[in-house]
Amino acid sequence: MKTIAIVGTFDSKGEEFLFLKKEIEKNNIRTITIDIGIKGPAFFTPDIQAKEVAAYAGKDIDELLNQKKPALCMEAEAEGIQILMKKLVAEHRIDGMIGMGGGQGSSVLRCAVSVLPVGMPKMIVSTMAMAGGKLFPGVNDTYLINSIVDFAGLNDILVSVIENAAGAICGMVRQEKQPKMCKGPKIAASMFGKTTPCVEQVRKILEQDGYEFYPFHANGMGGQAMEDMITTGFFDGVADITTVELLQDLIIPGTGCSQRVEAAGKIGIPQIVVPGAMDNINVFDGMKNQFPGRRFKKHNAEIWTMRSNVEENCKVGKILADKLNLAKGKTVLMLPLRGLSMISGDGMELNDREADEALFRTLKENVSDKIEIVEIDAHINDPKFAEALCKQIENIVPKNRE
Amino acid sequence: MKTIAIVGTFDSKGEEFLFLKKEIEKNNIRTITIDIGIKGPAFFTPDIQAKEVAAYAGKDIDELLNQKKPALCMEAEAEGIQILMKKLVAEHRIDGMIGMGGGQGSSVLRCAVSVLPVGMPKMIVSTMAMAGGKLFPGVNDTYLINSIVDFAGLNDILVSVIENAAGAICGMVRQEKQPKMCKGPKIAASMFGKTTPCVEQVRKILEQDGYEFYPFHANGMGGQAMEDMITTGFFDGVADITTVELLQDLIIPGTGCSQRVEAAGKIGIPQIVVPGAMDNINVFDGMKNQFPGRRFKKHNAEIWTMRSNVEENCKVGKILADKLNLAKGKTVLMLPLRGLSMISGDGMELNDREADEALFRTLKENVSDKIEIVEIDAHINDPKFAEALCKQIENIVPKNRE
C-alpha cells in the first residue's frame, strides 16, 4: 500500500486538511499527517505534531512561543521538517508528499519538498502558486497548484481544488514507473533557438557515443532548472553551450538567470563552457524604446532580438570568468571565434566582430591558469565546432567511468 | 470509461506524445489525440489532425504554409483549438485535457485550456511553467507542470516527468467528485491580512444569512484569480473589500494587479467596492531605498509596509473611479471614513488622515451619478462597517434570486 505525507498548518486550515486526508484515503492510499501549525491546537489529531517537527531540529516550540517569537517558531518548523522528510524517505515510509498553505505555510512547505528525491511525487497547493519560480525557486519537479481562493473554509471552489489535488497526487504515486537504466554518463546541456544547430549536432554525436543527453532551455527558467539538477548530483558532466542567461540578466535584471554556471563548479563535475548566444538578448516589445540607437531584429510578435555591444560583453565576460575561476572540477572554456549564434557571424544580420572579440579578450584575460582555453576557428553552429566540443567531452567525462 | 484529450505538436514532439498516450491508456483511460504541429508530418496518426483543427477556425493550413506564414498558422491552430475543445466539452466527449509544449506550443495550449470549465482537470507540461501567472494568465485551475528539460528526446528526466503527469491527470479524472450544491447566492470577496477582521466579520454574517462566501487573497495573483472567476459567471455578487492591488501595481508595476475591479462591471453583476488597504503597499527589503523619506513599518523579514501619500492616493482614486464608471451592473462605493486598514486609523502607526481624505475626495469627485456612494463613520475593521456592508449586499444580491 502506498503512503502519502500530508503537511500543513492543521490549526488554521484543519477543516481543509481533514477533507484532503479523506479524499486521499478513499483511493486506498495511506496517509501520514504532519502538523506545522504553531498558532493553536490541531483541528484533528495528526500522526506527527508541530512540536515533534521542531524537536527534530532540536528546538522547543513551547519555549519559543512563551518568548513570543513566532518567526523563530516557523524557522524551527522549516528546519525540523527537512530532517523529518529525509528520515521518512530513507526509511521508505512515504511515496509522495502534498502540502497546502498560504504565504507563511508555503515557505515551510518549500523546505519540505526541497529534500525529496527528484521524481518522487510532490505537490504544494498554495494561494501563491502562480508566482511560479519567482517565489518557489529550486522546486524543480514540485507540482505548484493554485488554490484559487484563500484557505478560509470549504466552499465549492476549494472543494473542487482539493478533490483534484488528491486525485492527482494519488494518481502520481500509483503510476507504474519504468525502471530507469543508466545507459551511459549523463551530460547536461544548455540550448536556445539560436544555438540549436550546435546542440543538436552535439547530441547526435554524444548519443552515438553512448552518452545520455539532457538539454535545458536557456530561457531563464530552464537554466535555473539545470543548475538545480546539477546540484542534486544527477549529472556526470556539463556541456554549457548556451550561457546567454547571464547576459540577459545583466542587461534586464530578472529576465535571465544570474545564478548560471555555478553548480557544476561547486560540486566539482567536469564542464565545457561556451559563451554561446552571448551576442544578443531578448527584449519585450514594450521595452524596446529603453534601448535607443541599438541594433534589433524581430524575433516574434512580442520579442525583439537585441545585439549586445562591447561594453556589455566586457562586463559579462568578467562575470563568466569569475565564475569559472571558482570551479572545483575540470573546466574547459571553448571559444567559437567566428560567431556565437545564428544572428551573428560572417554575413549575418547582427554581426559585430568587435563586440565578440571584446568578449573573447575579457574572458582570456580574466580566467586563471587552471581553466583550459580552446579556441576554434569556426562559427558555433558549424559542425566543426560541435565535433571539437564532443572530443573535449570524451576527454573529461570518460565513458568507462560508469 | 473516462477520456482525456492530448494536445500538442506531434511533429516535433511525437515520440514524447506517443509515450504520454501509452502512459495514460495503461490506466484504462481513453485518449483523443489532437495534433497542432504545422512543421511536418505527425510522428503517429492522431485522432484529429492539425489541418482539421485549423479548419474549425475556417482556415486552410496548406494555403498558409504555401504563403510561408508560420505565425498565421499558429494563430489558426489557436483559434481552431478553442472551437474544437468547446465542442468536445459540449458533447461530453472529454473528462480532462493534457498538453505539452515549449514556448510556441504553450501559447496555443493556453488557448485550449482557457475554454474548459472550471474544475475539469487540465494540465500543461511546459519548459516555461515556472513563469507561472506571468506567462499563463487566466489559467486559474490549470496544472502548470515544469518539464525541467527541453522536449528533445526521451531521457530519464523527461520519462519521469511524463509518467508523473500521466498519473496525475488520470488520478484527477478518476477522483470521485462530490455533487456541488448551490446553497445560496455566491459572493466573491477580496481580503488581505490588514483587512481580515472586516472580511471575517462579513463572512460570518453572510454565511449565517445563507450566502456562499469565496475569499480571494489580494496578493496580485488572488485578485487576478478573482477577476477570472467572476468572468466565468460563477458569482452572483462581489464584495470587493480590498482593492489595494491597484495601488500596489501603480507604485511598483508588476507586483499588484492593474486589471482589478473590472470583471464584475463588465459582466454586469452587482458589486460593493471599498478602497480597502489603499493606505499602504508592500515593498521588498531590497527596494526600500528607492523610496526615500517615506513612512515604513516592518511586515516580515523580507517585506516592509509603506504608507501611501496624497499624490498616489489621488492617482489611484481616479483609476478606481474610472473603472467603477464603466460598470454595467449595480455598483455601490463604500467609504470607511476612519481608516482603510490595520496600519492606519486613529492612533495607528502609519495614520495619515490627509492621504485618506485625498482618496475619498478624488473618488467622490470622479464617480458618475449612477454609482451609489455610502459613507460610514467607522474604521474598515470596525464591526459597524462590516454590518453596513452586509446590509448593502442583502439589498443588491437578494437571497431569493436563486
Side-chain angles (χ1 to χ4, degrees):
Chain A
M1 201 183 196
K2 301 280 188 182
T3 304
I4 293 172
I6 300 179
V7 185
T9 53
F10 299 169
D11 46 2
S12 59
K13 301 175 181 63
E15 195 190 348
E16 292 90 335
F17 274 104
L18 191 59
F19 178 63
L20 172 65
K21 175 176 147 76
K22 284 181 190 155
E23 286 295 303
I24 289 176
E25 289 172 351
K26 81 183 190 193
N27 284 289
N28 211 16
I29 281 178
R30 236 195 317 250
T31 60
I32 295 182
T33 50
I34 304 169
D35 187 14
I36 54 168
I38 47 140
K39 287 180 190 156
F43 183 75
F44 59 93
T45 309
D47 295 312
I48 299 172
Q49 296 174 45
K51 222 177 135 105
E52 296 171 76
V53 174
Y56 277 100
K59 303 286 165 63
D60 184 335
I61 280 287
D62 293 329
E63 203 183 298
L64 293 172
L65 281 174
N66 281 340
Q67 295 169 18
K68 298 210 188 302
K69 291 181 176 162
L72 289 184
C73 288
M74 289 312 274
E75 273 177 43
E77 293 297 316
E79 211 180 309
I81 195 80
Q82 295 184 56
I83 298 165
L84 171 59
M85 295 311 291
K86 275 187 203 161
K87 184 173 139 76
L88 291 174
V89 169
E91 294 169 357
H92 304 287
R93 287 174 58 198
I94 58 170
D95 302 287
M97 186 206 114
I98 181 168
M100 304 195 290
Q104 292 274 351
S106 294
S107 73
V108 178
L109 295 175
R110 204 165 53 195
C111 294
V113 296
S114 73
V115 299
L116 299 181
V118 173
M120 175 179 276
K122 45 186 99 71
M123 185 181 283
I124 298 176
V125 183
S126 168
T127 54
M128 322 276 280
M130 296 303 276
K134 225 173 69 183
L135 278 178
F136 295 91
V139 285
N140 264 328
D141 66 342
T142 302
Y143 278 34
L144 290 179
I145 305 306
N146 188 358
S147 67
I148 308 183
V149 288
D150 218 330
F151 295 95
L154 281 173
N155 54 45
D156 279 359
I157 295 180
L158 199 53
V159 163
S160 167
V161 166
I162 294 176
E163 285 171 341
N164 273 331
I169 191 79
C170 291
M172 287 164 90
V173 303
R174 277 249 173 92
Q175 187 78 2
E176 209 179 289
K177 309 286 161 70
Q178 282 187 9
K180 306 289 180 292
M181 30 195 165
C182 189
K183 283 155 276 177
K186 293 178 164 64
I187 306 293
S190 49
M191 70 184 284
F192 213 42
K194 300 180 185 82
T195 58
T196 295
C198 172
V199 177
E200 271 304 303
Q201 185 66 16
V202 168
R203 177 192 170 191
K204 234 180 264 172
I205 299 172
L206 289 183
E207 286 187 347
Q208 269 172 15
D209 274 9
Y211 290 85
E212 279 187 57
F213 194 71
Y214 295 83
F216 292 83
H217 204 76
N219 59 4
M221 294 155 282
Q224 184 64 58
M226 183 171 97
E227 296 288 317
D228 293 337
M229 279 300 296
I230 290 171
T231 303
T232 68
F234 184 84
F235 296 111
D236 301 298
V238 180
D240 210 342
I241 296 167
T242 316
T243 44
V244 61
E245 286 159 304
L246 289 174
L247 181 69
Q248 179 77 36
D249 213 78
L250 173 70
I251 303 179
I252 311 178
T255 63
C257 179
S258 62
Q259 285 88 47
R260 285 280 280 107
V261 201
E262 291 181 5
K266 251 180 217 159
I267 71 162
I269 58 169
Q271 60 179 341
I272 312 284
V273 179
V274 183
M278 274 198 177
D279 50 12
N280 76 90
I281 66 157
N282 286 334
V283 175
F284 273 100
D285 197 43
M287 300 183 73
K288 193 174 168 242
N289 54 13
Q290 291 180 29
F291 300 95
R294 298 294 295 266
R295 293 169 67 193
F296 286 96
K297 179 181 188 302
K298 203 172 178 82
H299 180 65
N300 63 31
E302 293 138 28
I303 292 172
W304 293 85
T305 297
M306 181 174 84
R307 171 70 225 199
S308 63
N309 62 24
V310 169
E311 190 197 337
E312 289 155 355
N313 276 8
C314 288
K315 270 194 203 159
V316 81
K318 180 70 169 64
I319 290 170
L320 181 56
D322 288 347
K323 288 182 185 246
L324 297 183
N325 292 340
L326 292 174
K328 283 194 269 175
K330 175 73 182 167
T331 297
V332 179
L333 173 65
M334 289 191 72
L335 305 177
L337 299 179
R338 289 176 180 260
L340 295 169
S341 86
M342 245 174 221
I343 57 110
S344 180
D346 286 340
M348 293 176 194
E349 202 171 337
L350 297 181
N351 195 27
D352 184 344
R353 294 305 295 259
E354 198 194 336
D356 286 355
E357 272 155 23
L359 175 59
F360 297 146
R361 195 176 53 242
T362 312
L363 280 166
K364 287 192 278 186
E365 282 172 8
N366 286 282
V367 295
S368 71
D369 290 349
K370 53 174 202 169
I371 309 298
E372 188 181 336
I373 301 177
V374 177
E375 298 180 63
I376 305 288
D377 188 29
H379 187 273
I380 191 169
N381 289 330
D382 182 333
K384 212 175 115 182
F385 183 75
E387 284 155 23
L389 193 145
C390 291
K391 284 227 175 71
Q392 293 292 334
I393 292 276
E394 285 155 14
N395 269 337
I396 64 174
V397 190
K399 261 172 295 180
N400 55 6
R401 66 176 281 173
E402 291 300 304
Chain B
M1 201 183 197
K2 301 280 188 182
T3 304
I4 292 172
I6 300 179
V7 185
T9 53
F10 299 169
D11 47 2
S12 59
K13 300 174 182 63
E15 195 189 349
E16 292 89 336
F17 274 104
L18 191 59
F19 179 62
L20 173 65
K21 175 176 147 74
K22 284 181 191 155
E23 286 295 302
I24 289 175
E25 289 172 350
K26 82 183 189 193
N27 283 289
N28 211 17
I29 282 178
R30 237 196 316 250
T31 60
I32 295 181
T33 50
I34 304 169
D35 187 14
I36 54 168
I38 47 140
K39 287 180 189 157
F43 183 75
F44 59 93
T45 309
D47 295 312
I48 299 172
Q49 296 174 45
K51 222 177 136 105
E52 296 170 76
V53 174
Y56 277 100
K59 303 285 165 63
D60 184 335
I61 279 288
D62 292 330
E63 204 183 298
L64 293 173
L65 281 174
N66 281 340
Q67 294 170 19
K68 298 211 188 302
K69 291 181 176 161
L72 289 184
C73 288
M74 289 312 275
E75 272 177 43
E77 294 297 315
E79 212 180 308
I81 195 81
Q82 295 185 56
I83 299 165
L84 171 59
M85 295 311 291
K86 275 186 203 162
K87 184 173 138 76
L88 292 174
V89 170
E91 294 169 357
H92 303 287
R93 287 173 59 197
I94 58 169
D95 303 286
M97 187 207 113
I98 181 168
M100 304 195 291
Q104 292 274 351
S106 294
S107 73
V108 178
L109 296 175
R110 203 166 54 195
C111 294
V113 296
S114 73
V115 299
L116 300 181
V118 173
M120 175 179 277
K122 45 186 99 70
M123 186 181 282
I124 298 176
V125 183
S126 169
T127 53
M128 322 275 280
M130 295 304 275
K134 225 173 71 184
L135 278 178
F136 295 91
V139 286
N140 264 329
D141 67 341
T142 302
Y143 278 34
L144 290 180
I145 305 306
N146 188 358
S147 68
I148 307 182
V149 287
D150 218 330
F151 295 95
L154 282 173
N155 54 46
D156 279 359
I157 294 180
L158 199 53
V159 163
S160 167
V161 166
I162 294 176
E163 286 170 341
N164 273 331
I169 191 79
C170 291
M172 286 164 91
V173 303
R174 277 248 173 92
Q175 187 78 2
E176 209 179 289
K177 308 286 160 70
Q178 282 188 10
K180 307 289 180 292
M181 31 195 164
C182 189
K183 283 155 276 177
K186 293 178 164 63
I187 306 293
S190 48
M191 69 183 285
F192 213 43
K194 300 180 186 82
T195 58
T196 294
C198 172
V199 177
E200 271 303 304
Q201 185 66 16
V202 168
R203 177 192 170 191
K204 233 180 265 173
I205 299 173
L206 289 183
E207 286 187 347
Q208 269 171 14
D209 274 7
Y211 290 85
E212 279 187 55
F213 194 71
Y214 295 83
F216 292 83
H217 204 77
N219 58 5
M221 294 155 281
Q224 184 64 58
M226 183 171 97
E227 297 288 317
D228 293 337
M229 279 300 296
I230 291 171
T231 303
T232 68
F234 184 84
F235 296 111
D236 301 298
V238 179
D240 209 341
I241 297 167
T242 316
T243 44
V244 61
E245 286 159 303
L246 290 174
L247 181 70
Q248 179 77 36
D249 213 78
L250 173 71
I251 303 179
I252 311 178
T255 62
C257 179
S258 62
Q259 285 88 47
R260 285 281 280 106
V261 201
E262 291 181 5
K266 251 181 217 158
I267 71 162
I269 58 169
Q271 60 179 341
I272 312 285
V273 179
V274 184
M278 274 198 178
D279 50 12
N280 76 91
I281 67 158
N282 286 334
V283 175
F284 273 100
D285 197 43
M287 300 183 75
K288 192 173 169 244
N289 54 13
Q290 290 180 29
F291 300 95
R294 298 294 296 266
R295 293 169 67 193
F296 287 95
K297 179 181 187 303
K298 203 172 179 82
H299 179 66
N300 63 32
E302 293 138 28
I303 292 172
W304 293 85
T305 297
M306 181 175 84
R307 172 70 225 199
S308 64
N309 62 24
V310 169
E311 190 197 338
E312 290 154 355
N313 276 9
C314 288
K315 271 194 203 159
V316 81
K318 180 70 170 64
I319 290 170
L320 181 56
D322 288 347
K323 288 183 185 245
L324 297 183
N325 291 340
L326 292 173
K328 283 194 269 175
K330 175 73 182 166
T331 297
V332 179
L333 173 65
M334 289 191 71
L335 305 178
L337 300 179
R338 289 175 180 261
L340 295 168
S341 85
M342 245 174 221
I343 57 110
S344 180
D346 286 340
M348 293 175 194
E349 202 171 336
L350 297 181
N351 196 27
D352 184 344
R353 294 304 296 258
E354 198 194 336
D356 286 355
E357 272 155 23
L359 175 59
F360 297 146
R361 195 177 53 243
T362 312
L363 280 166
K364 288 192 277 184
E365 283 171 8
N366 286 283
V367 295
S368 71
D369 290 349
K370 51 173 203 170
I371 310 298
E372 188 181 337
I373 301 177
V374 177
E375 298 180 64
I376 305 288
D377 188 29
H379 187 273
I380 192 169
N381 289 331
D382 183 333
K384 211 175 115 181
F385 183 75
E387 284 155 24
L389 194 145
C390 291
K391 284 226 176 71
Q392 292 292 334
I393 292 275
E394 285 156 15
N395 269 337
I396 65 174
V397 190
K399 261 172 295 179
N400 54 6
R401 66 176 281 173
E402 290 300 304

